[in-house]
Amino acid sequence: MENRTNKWNEFKKSQLFWPLVALCIVLLFNIVFTKNFLSMEIKDGHLYGVIIDILNRAAPLMLLAIGMTLVIATKGIDISVGSVIAISGAIAASLIGGKLEYVDGIQKFVTLVPMPVAILAALTITTLIGAWNGILISKVGIQPIVATLILLVAGRGVAQLITQGQIITIYYKPFQYIGTGYLLGLPFALFIVAVIFLVTMYAVRKTALGLFIESVGINAVASRFSGIHVNKYIFLVYAFSGFCAGVAGLVICSNVSSADGNNAGLFIEMDAILAVALGGNSLDGGNFSLVGSIIGALIIQSITTTIYALGVPPQVTLVVKAIVVIIICLLQSNQFRTLVFGRRVQRGKSCEKTATELQIH
């Protein structure tokens, strides 16, 4: 019994406790107010339901959150991931497209270049773009928000240059499997997230990489004097963030079967940063939790789904979302809980003390 109490107290003090509480509150709200929230059905061997929709639509955000977590752990920020998503989709759509040809006497859409080549090209270029951010920050010494702001602005222009200002539709069906396909009854995009998450978790928790990243975020100067190659790790995390944004871009592009250089991934960088913060990670760098960031992404997507399910007017959707996020952030704040709930506890203790004294007298 004592061990259980100790474990519970340790869990309450852990970084994941309040993000999980926030997620449970959002889910409970949905269970009560969203019709058929828990209902699921199997059609053609595929699972369908609101929860599956939340997981599926959160996949790009979870990918971004994984990369953003490592960037923020080094005390950095990457606000260019939305534009990188647009570039990734533009490259893939331009190379794949869909050309109508006769194959064995049947009309079929065929890809302009082999699909693996198109995917590899998109991921290589987005990783190089992330590496460019890393060079600007680690070698040139530009502040992270300024360096990535350059690409935030220029990236959309690059994406529109690639697509020539048009929305490119992808007719090649195998590519659509990335964003809309199912494997073992679940959306294929979730398996992509799972693979990248597990590989990243292994790299940062089973090797020294995670400790070096945290060390850079806590004190870069001390880390440098300790022999840690600070610039190398900053460069690597930005390149990895670019790679994650590239994968997210492919998922989004495949999901809508088109590439829109102007609107793809618009403002999603704010959601990615918010997911990391809601996951209990400090934006001041240092210790980080990838699991917390995944929970943060699920919280954001759950809120978005709830707002749409309740029929909130589009003109106030962002305001409602902001209010809910503020409430969740306040609940996760130790200072706020102490300020609000601490006084009540102290009042309760004072009343008990007074009652005890009266009984004695």
Side-chain angles (χ1 to χ4, degrees):
M1 186 65 184
E2 188 178 348
N3 287 334
R4 287 183 181 179
T5 306
N6 291 335
K7 286 181 180 178
W8 171 248
N9 289 332
E10 287 178 8
F11 177 63
K12 281 174 66 179
K13 293 176 183 175
S14 74
Q15 183 178 336
L16 297 180
F17 178 74
W18 285 105
L20 282 172
V21 169
L23 181 61
C24 288
I25 291 172
V26 175
L27 293 178
L28 282 173
F29 182 89
N30 274 297
I31 291 170
V32 175
F33 294 101
T34 303
K35 189 178 179 183
N36 299 324
F37 181 75
L38 292 178
S39 64
M40 287 192 192
E41 56 182 339
I42 299 176
K43 289 181 181 177
D44 301 326
H46 303 157
L47 267 175
Y48 290 96
V50 180
I51 294 177
I52 299 296
D53 284 344
I54 290 174
L55 291 172
N56 192 19
R57 293 183 185 281
L61 187 55
M62 287 192 280
L63 289 167
L64 291 181
I66 292 171
M68 189 68 75
T69 303
L70 301 189
V71 169
I72 288 177
T74 62
K75 204 182 277 188
I77 198 83
D78 187 353
I79 58 173
S80 67
V81 289
S83 297
V84 177
I85 281 177
I87 293 174
S88 174
I91 294 171
S94 300
L95 294 178
I96 294 175
K99 189 169 60 175
L100 195 60
E101 286 187 355
Y102 281 95
V103 179
D104 298 330
I106 303 172
Q107 278 192 331
K108 281 187 178 179
F109 284 103
V110 296
T111 177
L112 300 176
V113 301
M115 194 172 83
V117 174
I119 292 174
L120 188 62
L123 295 182
T124 302
I125 291 174
T126 53
T127 304
L128 288 174
I129 289 171
W132 168 253
N133 282 334
I135 290 172
L136 288 180
I137 295 162
S138 63
K139 297 292 184 184
V140 184
I142 298 176
Q143 289 181 343
I145 194 165
V146 177
T148 53
L149 179 63
I150 296 169
L151 191 58
L152 168 72
V153 178
R156 298 240 164 245
V158 172
Q160 291 195 54
L161 281 174
I162 295 171
T163 60
Q164 298 180 345
Q166 304 293 321
I167 297 176
I168 298 179
T169 304
I170 300 176
Y171 297 101
Y172 188 59
K173 288 191 176 177
F175 181 73
Q176 296 169 2
Y177 185 81
I178 297 173
T180 60
Y182 280 76
L183 181 64
L184 302 176
L186 293 171
F188 181 69
L190 293 180
F191 290 91
I192 297 175
V193 175
V195 169
I196 292 180
F197 172 76
L198 291 174
V199 171
T200 310
M201 275 293 285
Y202 182 84
V204 299
R205 294 305 177 211
K206 296 296 181 181
T207 70
L209 179 63
L211 290 175
F212 290 154
I213 290 173
E214 289 179 348
S215 176
V216 170
I218 293 170
N219 193 324
V221 176
S223 300
R224 189 174 290 114
F225 281 117
S226 301
I228 297 174
H229 200 317
V230 174
N231 289 344
K232 181 177 80 174
Y233 291 106
I234 292 176
F235 171 81
L236 285 176
V237 295
Y238 280 94
F240 181 67
S241 178
F243 170 79
C244 289
V247 179
L250 293 176
V251 172
I252 292 174
C253 178
S254 168
N255 198 18
V256 296
S257 301
S258 65
D260 184 355
N262 196 34
N263 293 309
L266 192 63
F267 300 135
I268 199 171
E269 57 272 355
M270 297 300 135
D271 281 347
I273 296 168
L274 191 59
V276 177
L278 288 177
N281 295 296
S282 169
L283 296 186
D284 204 26
N287 298 334
F288 65 90
S289 168
L290 288 174
V291 177
S293 297
I294 295 293
I295 294 172
L298 291 175
I299 291 172
I300 293 172
Q301 188 56 49
S302 300
I303 293 171
T304 305
T305 303
T306 305
I307 290 172
Y308 288 133
L310 295 178
V312 176
Q315 59 270 26
V316 296
T317 298
L318 292 178
V319 176
V320 174
K321 188 176 177 181
I323 292 171
V324 175
V325 168
I326 288 171
I327 293 171
I328 291 174
C329 289
L330 289 175
L331 284 174
Q332 292 191 29
S333 165
N334 288 329
Q335 288 84 350
F336 178 79
R337 292 199 305 273
T338 305
L339 185 67
V340 176
F341 303 111
R343 287 182 179 177
R344 290 184 181 179
V345 173
Q346 285 178 355
R347 284 177 188 171
K349 287 180 179 177
S350 300
C351 291
E352 288 177 5
K353 187 178 179 182
T354 306
T356 306
E357 289 175 352
L358 288 172
Q359 286 176 357
I360 292 172
H361 291 296

